[in-house]
Amino acid sequence: PRPPEEADVVVVGGGVVGWSVAYWLKVLEGWRHGMRVLVVERDPTYSQASTVLSVGGIRQQFSLPENIRMSRFSASFLRSINEHLGVPNEPPIDIQFQPSGYLFLAPPERAARLEATVRLQREEGVQVALLSPTQLKAKFPWIDTEGVAVASYGLEDEGWFDPWTLLNAFRCKATSLGVLSCSGEVRGFVTSSDGTVSLRGTALDTARIRYVNIHKPDSLDYQPVACAIVVNAAGAWAGELLERAGLPEKLCQPPLPIKPRKRYVYTWHCPNGPGLSCPLLIDTTGAYFRRDGIAGNYLGGMSPPEEEEPTTDDLSVDHDYFQEQVWPRLAQRVPAFASLHPRGSWAGFYDYNTFDCNGVLGPHPKLENLFLAAGFSGHGLQHAPAAGRAIAELVLKGHYETLDLRRLGCGRLAEGEPLREDGVV
């Protein structure tokens, strides 16, 4: 459908975070024919969307309290998903959750840090166990414990689920509540700052977005949409959106440090591999894997070092990376994987926050009616229910109510004070 000429809120990005924001706006608003919310998605097929190309994990094992609390909120939301996202006369939602937990392995030099992180997680109410190498071997006999000093194992609300089902559930429910959507790409903003000066004759340092220019697919034509609020949930392209929006440079400070980072996911078959109790394992080397269904199927990968980041021009896969980097690490940790049979692969984009690998949530410091919800660096899918509600609370009530996420705002970017998260996979 053609974009409307005006909307109260324009959500840029129709991934799971964007649709979560739209859903919570209508739920918290409380009346059906009120706020007009428009979701703009440039890839309506979702063939390159980060949401559906992820491995679908959810975990409580983070080192930052805000991330732990968002995961706990999201886990509770997913447990009762049909109460939230169920649509009358539609089949019940089944996200195919596999509660197999996450298993983090730490070498001796990182053991103390992992133990401190587990103490924090327990203080936040997370059910997590610390395992010695002996206990680890007893519980998972298929693991080679060489080089492992301690492991942490999630006992509750951890595992993986189907990303597409969650995205589609948010989209269908939000649409049933009156949210509008269109296919197109936001390439520019028209702001109130053009030629505006203060009473003292100096140029204003802040502005409001008055129009969002939505370019239609395969066309030079675009539709300006008048709006009161804009939410930047453009994922890996959230930073690029502000760079290309034609804004004065002073309004883009501090710059939004969110870039696309390509990550490979490989699938393989190993009939003698770990069984149904297999968790999502993160090795001491950074390589990870989990079951992919049953019958000896698995998937996994590994994030490369920063100096070896692949180009993001397309979603092609480097198969040599699996053969030379990922497979040897997996086979050393799980001896049965020495005889695995590669089956397939795909690539997807992380909305990577180069500043501190954590989401940027909250109002923009210079654009008064722009809210940010991006930069989750691989955690967006699992934190989407919490992040969407948080942004909706800011828009509708002017402050956080459910979770205090003020530390994830833009202030830390301007002050140069990163929030470190140890659990980046």
Side-chain angles (χ1 to χ4, degrees), residues 75 162 203 241 300:
D162 180 42
L241 172 65

Side-chain angles (χ1 to χ4, degrees), residues 19-354:
W19 277 109
S20 175
V21 171
Y23 160 78
W24 283 113
L25 283 170
K26 298 303 290 184
V27 168
L28 297 182
E29 178 192 31
W31 49 302
R32 183 177 177 86
H33 299 292
M35 181 185 304
R36 174 178 279 196
V37 180
L38 173 67
V39 175
V40 184
E41 171 56 42
R42 70 176 186 176
D43 177 19
T45 67
Y46 292 97
S47 60
Q48 297 187 2
S50 299
T51 298
V52 298
L53 294 174
S54 73
V55 300
I58 180 170
R59 58 185 163 102
Q60 313 298 304
Q61 294 183 71
F62 287 94
S63 65
L64 195 69
E66 286 84 354
N67 286 335
I68 298 172
R69 293 163 191 166
M70 284 195 288
S71 285
R72 286 179 58 76
F73 178 93
S74 295
S76 176
F77 181 91
L78 294 178
R79 277 199 303 271
S80 54
I81 190 169
N82 280 284
E83 297 177 17
H84 297 288
L85 302 183
V87 177
N89 302 318
E90 292 292 333
I93 302 163
D94 180 9
I95 61 171
Q96 304 172 47
F97 178 60
Q98 301 293 317
S100 297
Y102 271 62
L103 180 65
F104 283 84
L105 309 183
E109 63 271 20
R110 295 204 299 270
R113 181 60 183 169
L114 180 63
E115 292 170 356
T117 299
V118 168
R119 287 195 294 272
L120 170 64
Q121 292 162 359
R122 289 172 173 170
E123 291 172 0
E124 294 290 337
V126 177
Q127 300 296 312
V128 59
L130 276 174
L131 303 176
S132 68
T134 302
Q135 293 170 319
L136 180 64
K137 187 70 174 180
K139 186 166 184 61
F140 302 110
W142 41 266
I143 289 181
D144 184 336
T145 59
E146 182 179 357
V148 177
V150 68
S152 63
Y153 178 48
L155 304 175
E156 187 177 82
D157 293 335
E158 291 195 342
W160 54 90
F161 59 91
D162 180 42
W164 168 251
T165 299
L166 180 61
L167 168 61
N168 198 48
F170 266 121
R171 185 173 61 169
C172 290
K173 183 63 174 184
T175 301
S176 76
L177 296 174
V179 173
L180 306 175
S181 65
C182 70
S183 174
E185 184 174 7
V186 175
R187 297 182 187 172
F189 298 139
V190 177
T191 72
S192 61
S193 68
D194 300 335
T196 304
V197 295
S198 69
L199 294 176
R200 297 180 179 179
T202 58
L204 294 177
D205 291 331
T206 62
R208 295 183 65 84
I209 298 172
R210 298 173 58 228
Y211 292 92
V212 171
N213 292 332
I214 302 176
H215 289 250
K216 293 183 292 185
D218 303 318
S219 172
L220 297 177
D221 191 18
Y222 68 89
Q223 170 71 52
V225 178
C227 57
I229 299 290
V230 179
V231 179
N232 182 354
W237 294 271
E240 180 183 323
L241 172 65
L242 296 185
E243 292 174 0
R244 70 183 180 204
L247 298 169
E249 184 177 354
K250 67 178 182 179
L251 295 179
C252 298
Q253 302 299 321
L256 194 57
I258 299 174
K259 304 291 183 182
R261 290 288 186 267
K262 186 161 67 172
R263 295 292 180 262
Y264 308 124
V265 180
Y266 304 94
T267 64
W268 63 88
H269 179 67
C270 182
N272 299 320
L276 292 177
S277 64
C278 175
L280 197 158
L281 182 148
I282 298 91
D283 188 36
T284 56
T285 62
Y288 72 89
F289 79 92
R290 68 162 173 84
R291 281 191 301 108
D292 185 23
I294 58 176
N297 296 313
Y298 305 88
L299 62 78
M302 184 176 71
S303 295
E306 188 169 345
E307 63 273 11
E308 298 177 12
E309 286 285 354
T311 62
T312 56
D313 299 334
D314 55 34
L315 286 176
S316 60
V317 176
D318 183 354
H319 298 284
D320 291 338
Y321 185 70
F322 179 75
Q323 297 284 340
E324 299 170 2
Q325 302 295 332
V326 181
W327 189 355
R329 290 171 168 83
L330 294 174
Q332 182 174 358
R333 185 61 59 205
V334 182
F337 284 164
S339 57
L340 64 79
H341 303 285
R343 281 197 162 176
S345 61
W346 73 85
F349 292 121
Y350 272 15
D351 58 332
Y352 194 82
N353 181 351
T354 60

